[in-house]
Amino acid sequence: MARINKNTQSTNLVIYKQEKDNSMILVTGGAGFIGSNFVRDWLALNDEPVINFDKLTYAGNLSNLASLEQDPRHIFVRGDICDTAHISRLLAEHKPRAIVHFAAESHVDRSIHSPGEFISTNVNGTFSLLEAARAYWSGLDGDDKSGFRFLHVSTDEVYGTLGPNDPPFTETTPYAPNSPYSASKAASDHLVRAYFHTYGMPVLTTNCSNNYGSFHFPEKLIPLIISNARAGKPLPIYGDGMQVRDWLYVGDHCSAIRRVLEAGRLGKVYNVGGWNEMANLEVVHTLCDILDTLDPKASGSYREQITYVQDRPGHDRRYAIDARKIERELGWKPAETFATGIRKTVQWYLDNQAWVRDVQSGDYLKWVEKNYAARDTAQEQK
Ligand code: NAD
Ligand code: TYD
């Protein structure tokens, strides 16, 4: 059966893929927030199957993929990217035409409490995956070899922090990671780069800003605020709440990755962002205001639950992405504004309360206890 690609842009890679009857891709970390959005979107747009390789850590959740349970195009394999032998067996068995690498430890606060896991998965795991991919790719020939891609999904946090008037990060901004998380991602980016320059492996790297959307684990700011607000709990703002992030709707991140996979230049880096810089306090106010409309409290506003707590150590003040390269070279730009994306997101959380309850498992509760109990409530509620 020929696989049909419904993307409109036609490239050699797409034509190659359509002609190759049994093509498939391997995704790592596809049971997490962005990975599961990517896999669902991919299978909604393509018939090309996905092997989804995920360790199922606290952040990986098969219920994120429940809609694909009966879908033969989705092959889930539980495994650890540190296990080179396991990945090598999978590559030999399924012969994917590309690897899209999402698997990582992803939460900055957790990296401050327990950096070891971040080094193990993000650095050693990416290395193991690269080694398995290199051996596999080296054994390919012809179109299979030239068409192969390794796409590494990374973060804007590798570039460090910006002052209020600094220009946004470009692909040539020097790396200056400040947290164990961003340092581990920076290390993985460097390894990916080295595999291109040393071995000629066909790699691509994307560095993206903060994502938000459905299936976002409620340890991160936006889903945490929505679930705490509805539970009548404090809405914790680290420090003064004036740290700035660029926010990108997860569906837009997935479309950027598809586009880079399809047409990105080998060995190149593409910054992906939403042109949506906002201070955390403004994000939290927006969430409270939407909830006040969609799910009002008996009296008062959700804003009354805002509580200032002790800041994150080494907290980066500002991230901002210059996403002009991906627009100029590949014609990608985000489809959602923050106003449209955040409303959809709040509505999704209101419609999927069972999912939130399920992920708030024993491990989640232990994490909340550890992260927030140690923080002094910095000031009175404002
Ligand atoms: P997540 O924490 O929600 O999911 C990570 C997934 O990786 C989980 O399913 C987990 O089970 C899996 N995993 C962890 N360790 C593994 C291992 N050793 N072997 C196999 N699987 C393992 O993360 P996310 O927010 O979906 O982020 C995905 C990727 O995107 C990460 O590489 C992250 O650095 C990057 N990124 C995230 C954001 C963001 O805002 N969330 C922004 C830019 C880049
Ligand atoms: P987060 O969602 O953890 O993403 P990242 O640290 O990767 O940017 O946090 C987003 C911002 O929100 C960050 O500046 C830290 C802040 N924050 C809070 O103020 N309170 C919280 O409880 C959390 C989890 C984050």
Side-chain angles (χ1 to χ4, degrees):
M1 181 186 61
R3 314 277 174 214
I4 298 154
N5 183 291
K6 294 181 188 155
N7 287 334
T8 47
Q9 285 108 345
S10 166
T11 64
N12 288 341
L13 200 62
V14 175
I15 292 158
Y16 160 69
K17 188 178 75 170
Q18 286 173 338
E19 282 170 356
K20 194 173 182 289
D21 273 357
N22 57 349
S23 75
M24 56 170 67
I25 64 165
L26 176 89
V27 165
T28 71
F33 163 46
I34 304 172
S36 66
N37 274 282
F38 179 84
V39 171
R40 280 192 312 276
D41 288 0
W42 181 270
L43 292 173
L45 291 163
N46 293 277
D47 279 336
E48 187 178 23
V50 175
I51 311 149
N52 186 347
F53 186 76
D54 195 295
K55 186 177 173 181
L56 296 181
T57 66
Y58 79 93
N61 185 349
L62 281 179
S63 72
N64 297 358
L65 301 158
S67 63
L68 302 175
E69 226 167 62
Q70 305 300 326
D71 193 327
R73 300 168 306 164
H74 179 237
I75 303 157
F76 183 82
V77 179
R78 188 172 190 177
D80 188 333
I81 54 166
C82 297
D83 187 347
T84 309
H86 192 175
I87 299 160
S88 298
R89 284 199 304 277
L90 267 188
L91 294 174
E93 184 185 346
H94 295 284
K95 304 199 173 2
R97 69 173 179 92
I99 297 175
V100 184
H101 176 35
F102 293 95
E105 288 291 334
S106 69
H107 188 34
V108 174
D109 291 314
R110 285 191 191 245
S111 83
I112 294 166
H113 287 281
S114 313
E117 279 296 300
F118 288 71
I119 304 308
S120 169
T121 285
N122 301 0
V123 185
N124 296 331
T126 300
F127 168 66
S128 303
L129 185 66
L130 280 166
E131 276 296 88
R134 179 166 75 93
Y136 166 68
W137 167 75
S138 301
L140 297 175
D141 34 44
D143 286 348
D144 287 344
K145 188 164 190 176
S146 58
F148 183 74
R149 298 287 181 271
F150 183 103
L151 191 152
H152 175 59
V153 179
S154 192
T155 166
D156 60 357
E157 304 194 22
V158 297
Y159 298 120
T161 188
L162 293 168
N165 301 315
D166 288 338
F169 302 129
T170 69
E171 290 78 0
T172 55
T173 301
Y175 273 35
N178 290 319
S179 71
Y181 164 66
S182 54
S184 67
K185 290 298 290 188
S188 67
D189 294 7
H190 290 325
L191 284 168
V192 170
R193 175 190 160 88
Y195 273 61
F196 174 74
H197 286 276
T198 304
Y199 305 113
M201 235 176 86
V203 306
L204 300 154
T205 298
T206 53
N207 290 88
C208 186
S209 56
N210 284 55
N211 285 215
Y212 67 95
S214 55
F215 298 96
H216 202 182
F217 195 81
E219 66 185 352
K220 305 277 172 68
L221 180 70
I222 288 180
L224 179 97
I225 294 297
I226 299 170
S227 68
N228 277 17
R230 299 200 64 263
K233 293 182 182 163
L235 310 181
I237 306 277
Y238 295 170
D240 64 2
M242 295 314 288
Q243 304 83 3
V244 171
R245 299 290 183 264
D246 171 58
W247 293 96
L248 179 72
Y249 188 65
V250 65
D252 281 329
H253 187 190
C254 294
S255 74
I257 292 170
R258 291 195 301 274
R259 185 67 190 131
V260 172
L261 184 64
E262 183 177 52
R265 286 189 295 137
L266 296 188
K268 298 298 176 198
V269 171
Y270 293 92
N271 280 357
V272 184
W275 300 106
N276 252 318
E277 278 187 66
M278 285 173 88
N280 292 338
L281 196 55
E282 201 186 340
V283 170
V284 174
H285 282 160
T286 305
L287 290 169
C288 290
D289 297 348
I290 296 173
L291 283 168
D292 284 342
T293 310
L294 296 182
D295 187 30
K297 302 205 306 182
S299 69
S301 163
Y302 288 101
R303 286 192 186 207
E304 289 151 23
Q305 290 166 230
I306 290 175
T307 309
Y308 290 81
V309 300
Q310 199 178 351
D311 207 353
R312 171 188 281 173
H315 198 169
D316 285 337
R317 198 69 187 164
R318 175 176 166 238
Y319 302 142
I321 277 275
D322 181 336
R324 281 178 298 177
K325 177 178 172 185
I326 187 171
E327 182 171 352
R328 192 175 59 246
E329 285 192 12
L330 304 179
W332 177 89
K333 54 182 182 190
E336 300 287 345
T337 63
F338 191 72
T340 57
I342 199 68
R343 210 179 162 87
K344 275 192 202 174
T345 303
V346 174
Q347 190 63 59
W348 187 87
Y349 278 89
L350 294 176
D351 294 343
N352 289 276
Q353 290 167 42
W355 179 89
V356 177
R357 272 196 306 277
D358 280 358
V359 297
Q360 288 174 329
S361 61
D363 177 81
Y364 176 81
L365 295 175
K366 272 188 256 151
W367 163 252
V368 169
E369 169 70 15
K370 191 169 170 185
N371 191 39
Y372 295 97
R375 288 175 198 275
D376 299 325
T377 299
Q379 293 116 29
E380 76 286 0
Q381 294 195 357
K382 290 189 181 170

Short mmCIF file of all heavy atoms in Angstrom, two decimals, residues 107-109 157 210 219-221 224 236-238 243 245 247 280 312 315 319 372, ligand 2:
data_model
loop_
_atom_site.label_atom_id
_atom_site.label_comp_id
_atom_site.label_asym_id
_atom_site.label_seq_id
_atom_site.Cartn_x
_atom_site.Cartn_y
_atom_site.Cartn_z
N HIS A 107 11.72 18.86 32.82
CA HIS A 107 11.24 19.89 33.76
C HIS A 107 12.40 20.52 34.54
O HIS A 107 13.10 19.84 35.30
CB HIS A 107 10.22 19.26 34.70
CG HIS A 107 9.53 20.26 35.58
ND1 HIS A 107 9.21 21.54 35.17
CD2 HIS A 107 9.07 20.16 36.84
CE1 HIS A 107 8.61 22.18 36.15
NE2 HIS A 107 8.51 21.37 37.18
N VAL A 108 12.57 21.82 34.37
CA VAL A 108 13.69 22.55 34.99
C VAL A 108 13.73 22.34 36.50
O VAL A 108 14.79 22.07 37.08
CB VAL A 108 13.60 24.06 34.66
CG1 VAL A 108 14.66 24.84 35.41
CG2 VAL A 108 13.72 24.29 33.16
N ASP A 109 12.58 22.46 37.17
CA ASP A 109 12.59 22.34 38.63
C ASP A 109 13.06 20.95 39.07
O ASP A 109 13.80 20.81 40.04
CB ASP A 109 11.19 22.62 39.20
CG ASP A 109 10.81 24.08 39.05
OD1 ASP A 109 11.65 24.95 39.36
OD2 ASP A 109 9.69 24.38 38.61
N GLU A 157 16.13 27.11 25.70
CA GLU A 157 16.80 27.36 26.99
C GLU A 157 18.31 27.17 26.90
O GLU A 157 19.05 27.64 27.76
CB GLU A 157 16.19 26.48 28.08
CG GLU A 157 14.69 26.70 28.17
CD GLU A 157 14.03 26.14 29.42
OE1 GLU A 157 14.72 25.95 30.43
OE2 GLU A 157 12.80 25.92 29.37
N ASN A 210 8.71 27.79 24.83
CA ASN A 210 7.78 27.07 25.72
C ASN A 210 6.51 26.69 24.98
O ASN A 210 5.84 27.55 24.41
CB ASN A 210 7.39 27.95 26.91
CG ASN A 210 8.48 28.05 27.95
OD1 ASN A 210 9.61 28.43 27.63
ND2 ASN A 210 8.16 27.72 29.18
N GLU A 219 2.75 19.67 36.00
CA GLU A 219 3.85 20.20 36.80
C GLU A 219 4.34 21.50 36.17
O GLU A 219 5.06 22.28 36.80
CB GLU A 219 5.01 19.20 36.86
CG GLU A 219 5.67 18.98 35.50
CD GLU A 219 6.74 17.91 35.47
OE1 GLU A 219 7.12 17.40 36.53
OE2 GLU A 219 7.18 17.58 34.35
N LYS A 220 4.00 21.75 34.89
CA LYS A 220 4.47 22.93 34.17
C LYS A 220 3.47 24.06 34.39
O LYS A 220 2.29 23.83 34.69
CB LYS A 220 4.60 22.62 32.67
CG LYS A 220 5.49 21.41 32.36
CD LYS A 220 6.97 21.74 32.34
CE LYS A 220 7.87 20.52 32.21
NZ LYS A 220 7.81 19.82 30.96
N LEU A 221 3.94 25.30 34.19
CA LEU A 221 3.17 26.47 34.64
C LEU A 221 1.70 26.45 34.19
O LEU A 221 0.79 26.54 35.03
CB LEU A 221 3.84 27.77 34.17
CG LEU A 221 3.09 29.03 34.61
CD1 LEU A 221 3.23 29.25 36.12
CD2 LEU A 221 3.59 30.27 33.85
N LEU A 224 -0.51 23.55 35.46
CA LEU A 224 -0.54 23.60 36.93
C LEU A 224 -1.50 24.69 37.40
O LEU A 224 -2.30 24.48 38.32
CB LEU A 224 0.86 23.89 37.47
CG LEU A 224 0.94 23.98 39.00
CD1 LEU A 224 1.41 22.65 39.59
CD2 LEU A 224 1.89 25.08 39.46
N PRO A 236 0.96 29.33 42.39
CA PRO A 236 2.31 29.76 42.81
C PRO A 236 3.05 30.53 41.72
O PRO A 236 3.28 30.01 40.62
CB PRO A 236 3.03 28.44 43.11
CG PRO A 236 2.29 27.40 42.33
CD PRO A 236 0.90 27.89 42.10
N ILE A 237 3.46 31.75 42.04
CA ILE A 237 4.27 32.57 41.13
C ILE A 237 5.68 32.62 41.73
O ILE A 237 5.85 33.08 42.86
CB ILE A 237 3.72 34.02 41.07
CG1 ILE A 237 2.24 34.03 40.70
CG2 ILE A 237 4.57 34.90 40.16
CD1 ILE A 237 1.96 33.93 39.23
N TYR A 238 6.66 32.17 40.96
CA TYR A 238 8.03 32.22 41.45
C TYR A 238 8.54 33.67 41.39
O TYR A 238 8.43 34.33 40.36
CB TYR A 238 8.96 31.38 40.58
CG TYR A 238 8.72 29.88 40.58
CD1 TYR A 238 9.39 29.06 39.65
CD2 TYR A 238 7.85 29.25 41.47
CE1 TYR A 238 9.19 27.69 39.62
CE2 TYR A 238 7.66 27.87 41.44
CZ TYR A 238 8.32 27.10 40.52
OH TYR A 238 8.14 25.74 40.49
N GLN A 243 9.32 37.14 34.91
CA GLN A 243 10.15 36.40 33.97
C GLN A 243 9.35 36.23 32.68
O GLN A 243 8.15 35.95 32.70
CB GLN A 243 10.54 35.02 34.53
CG GLN A 243 11.22 35.06 35.87
CD GLN A 243 10.24 35.15 37.04
OE1 GLN A 243 9.03 35.14 36.87
NE2 GLN A 243 10.78 35.25 38.24
N ARG A 245 8.67 34.48 28.95
CA ARG A 245 8.83 33.31 28.07
C ARG A 245 8.12 33.59 26.76
O ARG A 245 7.16 34.37 26.71
CB ARG A 245 8.20 32.05 28.72
CG ARG A 245 8.82 31.65 30.06
CD ARG A 245 10.22 31.13 29.86
NE ARG A 245 10.88 30.67 31.07
CZ ARG A 245 11.72 31.41 31.80
NH1 ARG A 245 11.95 32.67 31.48
NH2 ARG A 245 12.33 30.89 32.84
N TRP A 247 5.69 31.82 24.12
CA TRP A 247 4.79 30.67 24.19
C TRP A 247 4.34 30.25 22.80
O TRP A 247 3.94 31.08 21.99
CB TRP A 247 3.57 31.01 25.06
CG TRP A 247 3.96 31.19 26.50
CD1 TRP A 247 4.23 32.37 27.14
CD2 TRP A 247 4.18 30.15 27.47
NE1 TRP A 247 4.58 32.12 28.45
CE2 TRP A 247 4.55 30.78 28.67
CE3 TRP A 247 4.08 28.76 27.45
CZ2 TRP A 247 4.84 30.06 29.84
CZ3 TRP A 247 4.36 28.04 28.61
CH2 TRP A 247 4.73 28.70 29.78
N ASN A 280 5.30 35.84 33.15
CA ASN A 280 4.51 34.77 33.77
C ASN A 280 3.24 35.29 34.42
O ASN A 280 2.18 34.67 34.32
CB ASN A 280 5.36 34.06 34.84
CG ASN A 280 6.51 33.28 34.21
OD1 ASN A 280 6.46 32.94 33.03
ND2 ASN A 280 7.55 33.03 35.00
N ARG A 312 12.80 30.29 41.76
CA ARG A 312 13.60 29.14 41.32
C ARG A 312 15.08 29.56 41.34
O ARG A 312 15.41 30.64 40.82
CB ARG A 312 13.16 28.81 39.90
CG ARG A 312 13.98 27.79 39.18
CD ARG A 312 13.55 27.70 37.72
NE ARG A 312 12.36 26.91 37.53
CZ ARG A 312 11.71 26.80 36.37
NH1 ARG A 312 12.12 27.46 35.31
NH2 ARG A 312 10.64 26.05 36.27
N HIS A 315 17.00 31.23 38.11
CA HIS A 315 15.86 31.40 37.21
C HIS A 315 16.19 32.33 36.03
O HIS A 315 16.51 33.51 36.24
CB HIS A 315 14.70 32.01 38.02
CG HIS A 315 13.36 31.85 37.39
ND1 HIS A 315 12.20 32.12 38.08
CD2 HIS A 315 12.99 31.45 36.15
CE1 HIS A 315 11.17 31.90 37.30
NE2 HIS A 315 11.62 31.49 36.11
N TYR A 319 13.35 34.57 27.85
CA TYR A 319 13.64 33.85 26.61
C TYR A 319 12.82 34.50 25.51
O TYR A 319 11.65 34.85 25.71
CB TYR A 319 13.19 32.39 26.68
CG TYR A 319 13.76 31.53 27.78
CD1 TYR A 319 12.95 30.59 28.43
CD2 TYR A 319 15.09 31.61 28.18
CE1 TYR A 319 13.44 29.77 29.43
CE2 TYR A 319 15.59 30.79 29.18
CZ TYR A 319 14.76 29.88 29.80
OH TYR A 319 15.25 29.07 30.79
N TYR A 372 7.09 22.45 46.34
CA TYR A 372 6.43 23.64 46.89
C TYR A 372 6.52 23.75 48.41
O TYR A 372 6.52 24.85 48.93
CB TYR A 372 4.97 23.72 46.41
CG TYR A 372 4.90 23.92 44.91
CD1 TYR A 372 4.71 22.85 44.05
CD2 TYR A 372 5.11 25.18 44.35
CE1 TYR A 372 4.69 23.02 42.67
CE2 TYR A 372 5.11 25.36 42.97
CZ TYR A 372 4.90 24.28 42.15
OH TYR A 372 4.89 24.46 40.78
P1 TYD B 2 7.84 25.93 33.29
O1 TYD B 2 6.46 25.63 32.79
O2 TYD B 2 8.41 25.03 34.34
O3 TYD B 2 8.78 25.99 31.99
P2 TYD B 2 10.33 26.50 31.87
O4 TYD B 2 10.94 26.57 33.21
O5 TYD B 2 10.92 25.44 31.02
O6 TYD B 2 10.25 27.85 31.18
O7 TYD B 2 7.85 27.41 33.83
C1 TYD B 2 7.48 28.51 33.02
C2 TYD B 2 7.74 29.76 33.82
O8 TYD B 2 6.83 29.77 34.94
C3 TYD B 2 9.13 29.80 34.43
O9 TYD B 2 9.59 31.15 34.39
C4 TYD B 2 8.93 29.36 35.87
C5 TYD B 2 7.53 29.84 36.19
N1 TYD B 2 6.77 29.04 37.16
C6 TYD B 2 6.14 29.66 38.23
O10 TYD B 2 6.20 30.89 38.41
N2 TYD B 2 5.43 28.89 39.11
C7 TYD B 2 5.34 27.52 38.99
O11 TYD B 2 4.71 26.86 39.86
C8 TYD B 2 5.99 26.91 37.87
C9 TYD B 2 5.92 25.41 37.67
C10 TYD B 2 6.69 27.69 36.97
#
